[in-house]
């Protein structure tokens, strides 16, 4: 592991490498808490795009946001490098900056990485998973292969429409203005995606298809909080509950009026859940929204 350079302004940015592939870390509120929250975003959530989330979490916790190899400005990680390689890269990067005890959060694609990391390494106090994806449902394998075909043949409008309909719930969009605006924003971003982003999507999707199944029977004995939107039809409530039930000390929270894009549609509620999970927020439980593992 070699550190190329580190910048220190309001935050601290680390550009590192692992076995020839870049990995980037950005620290917020360093030292505010004894243990940092390591944040791994989704397939299209690089450090810059989750800045608002990271800053909000960092109001009450030290945060380290990660661009794993193959995400953000780290370039392309060929799909033949599986999730274990990504976990090793994260572990090495954290060691490089002197961090060996963490809380860990993964969202969507990042939830796969977070779960694998928790199975592989000690030193995790708490695990937080948003839209936890233990595996890609078989019924969606066709859809993702179709998306790859559309990218390959430059059918970008079809790709943007298809991916938007997977990540956002069309039924919710009919009645929820924020969900509708979120879908429009996502589709616009996809229509204007760079060649690099498209390549990252291709390899990250192939990685999920090839190496995306996580054995829930191997989950460690850590405190785990799992949540998603009630209308998430990509990683539905039942799939998230299955992940929560795989932990001895796991709880699941279903958030109303949201789907897979909960970080946009219910931003404040998501921050609240995270702070509560880290024991740095006021307790807030609304009847009908939270289901523990016995539910």
């Amino acid at each position: 592991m070699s550190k190329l350079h580190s910048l220190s302004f309001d935050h601290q940015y680390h550009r590192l490498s692992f076995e020839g592939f870049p990995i980037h870390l950005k620290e917020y509120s360093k030292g505010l808490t004894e243990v940092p929250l390591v944040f791994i975003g989704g397939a299209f959530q690089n450090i810059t795009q989750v800045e608002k989330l990271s800053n909000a979490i960092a109001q009450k916790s030290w945060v380290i946001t990660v661009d794993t190899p193959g995400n953000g400005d780290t370039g392309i990680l060929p799909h033949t490098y599986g999730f274990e390689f990504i976990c090793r890269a994260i572990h090495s990067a954290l060691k490089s900056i002197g961090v060996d005890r963490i809380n860990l959060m993964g969202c969507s694609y990042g939830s796969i990485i977070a779960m694998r990391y928790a199975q592989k390494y000690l030193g995790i106090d708490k695990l937080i998973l948003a839209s936890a994806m233990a595996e890609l449902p078989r019924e969606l394998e066709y859809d993702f292969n179709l998306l790859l075909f559309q990218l390959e043949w430059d059918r970008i409008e079809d790709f943007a429409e298809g991916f938007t309909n997977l990540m956002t719930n069309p039924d919710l969009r009919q009645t929820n203005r924020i969900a509708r605006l979120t879908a429009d924003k996502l589709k616009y971003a996809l229509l204007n995606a760079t060649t690099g982003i498209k390549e990252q999507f291709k390899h990250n999707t192939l990685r999920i298809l090839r190496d995306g199944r996580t054995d829930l029977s191997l989950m460690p004995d850590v405190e785990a909080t799992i949540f998603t939107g009630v209308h998430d039809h990509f990683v539905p409530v039942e799939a998230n509950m299955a992940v929560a039930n795989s932990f001895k000390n796991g709880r699941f929270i279903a958030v109303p009026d949201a789907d897979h894009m909960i970080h946009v549609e219910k931003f404040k509620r998501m921050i609240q859940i995270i702070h509560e999970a880290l024991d740095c927020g006021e307790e807030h439980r609304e009847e009908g929204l939270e289901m523990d593992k016995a539910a």
Side-chain angles (χ1 to χ4, degrees), residues 19-165:
E19 296 188 8
F21 290 97
I23 178 169
H24 297 167
L25 309 177
K26 191 168 185 178
E27 293 189 78
Y28 304 74
S29 302
K30 183 175 181 179
L32 179 61
T33 50
E34 182 180 353
V35 180
L37 174 69
V38 174
F39 174 17
I40 307 167
F44 284 104
Q45 291 182 313
N46 61 46
I47 285 175
T48 301
Q49 291 166 332
V50 298
E51 188 86 64
K52 182 180 177 182
L53 261 174
S54 300
N55 276 316
I57 301 167
Q59 295 298 310
K60 296 184 179 181
S61 176
W62 174 12
V63 176
I64 302 174
T65 304
V66 182
D67 270 350
T68 61
N71 199 44
D73 290 334
T74 64
I76 306 300
L77 180 69
H79 67 273
T80 49
Y81 290 82
F83 289 107
E84 182 175 334
F85 177 86
I86 296 174
C87 290
R88 288 195 289 118
I90 295 170
H91 186 69
S92 182
L94 293 174
K95 290 289 186 183
S96 176
I97 64 171
V99 172
D100 56 14
R101 182 180 161 209
I102 64 172
N103 297 311
L104 181 60
M105 180 171 76
C107 302
S108 191
Y109 176 81
S111 72
I112 302 175
I113 301 169
M115 285 188 282
R116 300 287 184 88
Y117 190 98
Q119 290 177 338
K120 187 175 178 63
Y121 296 106
L122 300 174
I124 298 174
D125 286 4
K126 295 175 182 178
L127 186 64
I128 303 171
L129 303 172
S131 300
M133 185 161 48
E135 62 181 334
L136 185 69
R138 290 190 179 277
E139 60 268 22
L140 293 182
E141 289 182 5
Y142 171 82
D143 297 88
F144 274 88
N145 278 296
L146 179 60
L147 290 173
L148 292 171
F149 165 78
Q150 290 165 343
L151 271 186
E152 188 70 23
W153 290 89
D154 203 30
R155 290 168 52 177
I156 301 304
E157 290 190 7
D158 291 337
F159 166 76
E161 181 75 19
F163 190 76
T164 298
N165 285 335

Side-chain angles (χ1 to χ4, degrees), residues 69-287:
N71 199 44
D73 290 334
T74 64
I76 306 300
L77 180 69
H79 67 273
T80 49
Y81 290 82
F83 289 107
E84 182 175 334
F85 177 86
I86 296 174
C87 290
R88 288 195 289 118
I90 295 170
H91 186 69
S92 182
L94 293 174
K95 290 289 186 183
S96 176
I97 64 171
V99 172
D100 56 14
R101 182 180 161 209
I102 64 172
N103 297 311
L104 181 60
M105 180 171 76
C107 302
S108 191
Y109 176 81
S111 72
I112 302 175
I113 301 169
M115 285 188 282
R116 300 287 184 88
Y117 190 98
Q119 290 177 338
K120 187 175 178 63
Y121 296 106
L122 300 174
I124 298 174
D125 286 4
K126 295 175 182 178
L127 186 64
I128 303 171
L129 303 172
S131 300
M133 185 161 48
E135 62 181 334
L136 185 69
R138 290 190 179 277
E139 60 268 22
L140 293 182
E141 289 182 5
Y142 171 82
D143 297 88
F144 274 88
N145 278 296
L146 179 60
L147 290 173
L148 292 171
F149 165 78
Q150 290 165 343
L151 271 186
E152 188 70 23
W153 290 89
D154 203 30
R155 290 168 52 177
I156 301 304
E157 290 190 7
D158 291 337
F159 166 76
E161 181 75 19
F163 190 76
T164 298
N165 285 335
L166 282 172
M167 296 298 107
T168 67
N169 190 315
D171 291 335
L172 180 64
R173 298 197 314 249
Q174 294 296 318
T175 58
N176 187 304
R177 178 176 174 272
I178 296 176
R180 187 163 58 251
L181 291 174
T182 300
D184 290 344
K185 185 176 179 180
L186 174 61
K187 185 175 179 180
Y188 178 83
L190 295 169
L191 287 171
N192 293 278
T194 64
T195 299
I197 290 175
K198 294 172 188 175
E199 279 296 300
Q200 285 182 335
F201 174 85
K202 181 178 79 173
H203 285 279
N204 291 342
T205 298
L206 288 170
R207 183 174 297 107
I208 294 174
L209 290 169
R210 176 177 178 269
D211 185 35
R213 185 180 181 280
T214 300
D215 188 346
L216 295 180
S217 70
L218 301 179
M219 281 298 148
D221 186 9
V222 299
E223 182 179 325
T225 299
I226 294 88
F227 65 95
T228 197
V230 168
H231 301 280
D232 188 342
H233 66 168
F234 175 50
V235 189
V237 164
E238 294 77 13
N240 281 267
M241 289 183 69
V243 173
N245 285 330
S246 69
F247 293 91
K248 292 181 181 178
N249 188 11
R251 65 167 180 157
F252 170 68
I253 301 171
V255 179
D257 300 320
D259 51 35
H260 196 73
M261 301 293 285
I262 185 173
H263 60 287
V264 180
E265 297 157 347
K266 288 291 182 177
F267 178 84
K268 290 182 179 179
R269 178 60 178 137
M270 180 169 176
I271 298 303
Q272 186 178 53
I273 290 169
I274 295 165
H275 284 159
E276 289 171 7
L278 297 174
D279 292 334
C280 57
E282 294 181 2
E283 187 172 0
H284 176 85
R285 296 174 184 248
E286 297 182 42
E287 186 176 356

